[in-house]
Amino acid sequence: QVQLVESGGGLVQAGGSLRLSCAASGRTFSSNAMGWFRRAPGKEREFVASISRSNSVTYYADSVKGRFTISRDNAKNTVYLQMNSLKPEDTAVYYCAARSVGVAAPSMGAGAYAFWGQGTQVTVSS
């Protein structure tokens, strides 16, 4: 079992930056690929970014490519999402997700993730 707790959300003006963190419990963190998803008001949950367990492979949604960076520190059991040049359309609840223990490859599909955090709100004002 993996428990995930997100932090770092908040209110920021357009063009600003935020860094989200996701702290994972359990000694198996380094064996899981991780991802970030978001759900905006009235919209479906969508993929944002994902990272392999070794930090070597990352995927990004086209809407965030070049602005967001996903990274992880396996020694700290934490995955990060650095968000720069934020836009009002980035406003959403952001969720951290982990693939099953031992699954190293990242995925852009929400169904591929076995564990989810509670989410952290990001609001970008214009």
Side-chain angles (χ1 to χ4, degrees):
Q1 190 76 4
V2 177
Q3 292 185 326
L4 305 171
V5 179
E6 302 96 336
S7 62
L11 173 64
V12 64
Q13 288 188 330
S17 298
L18 283 174
R19 188 175 81 156
L20 305 183
S21 298
C22 173
S25 65
R27 292 175 290 177
T28 58
F29 173 79
S30 62
S31 70
N32 301 43
M34 302 291 294
W36 286 96
F37 291 77
R38 67 187 182 186
R39 187 192 299 271
K43 294 188 176 181
E44 297 291 319
R45 179 175 53 189
E46 65 174 357
F47 168 76
V48 176
S50 60
I51 188 167
S52 64
R53 70 180 179 189
S54 64
N55 255 321
S56 60
V57 178
T58 56
Y59 297 142
Y60 294 94
D62 288 343
S63 59
V64 307
K65 205 170 292 184
R67 299 188 298 122
F68 291 11
T69 302
I70 188 171
S71 62
R72 64 190 294 165
D73 185 337
N74 288 340
K76 295 182 179 179
N77 282 8
T78 302
V79 62
Y80 305 97
L81 185 69
Q82 178 67 43
M83 306 186 295
N84 299 328
S85 303
L86 282 161
K87 304 175 182 180
E89 51 264 43
D90 294 317
T91 295
V93 177
Y94 283 71
Y95 299 91
C96 175
R99 298 203 69 181
S100 297
V101 174
V103 177
S107 172
M108 294 185 283
Y113 292 83
F115 306 102
W116 293 83
Q118 292 299 308
T120 185
Q121 175 71 46
V122 171
T123 303
V124 184
S125 63
S126 57

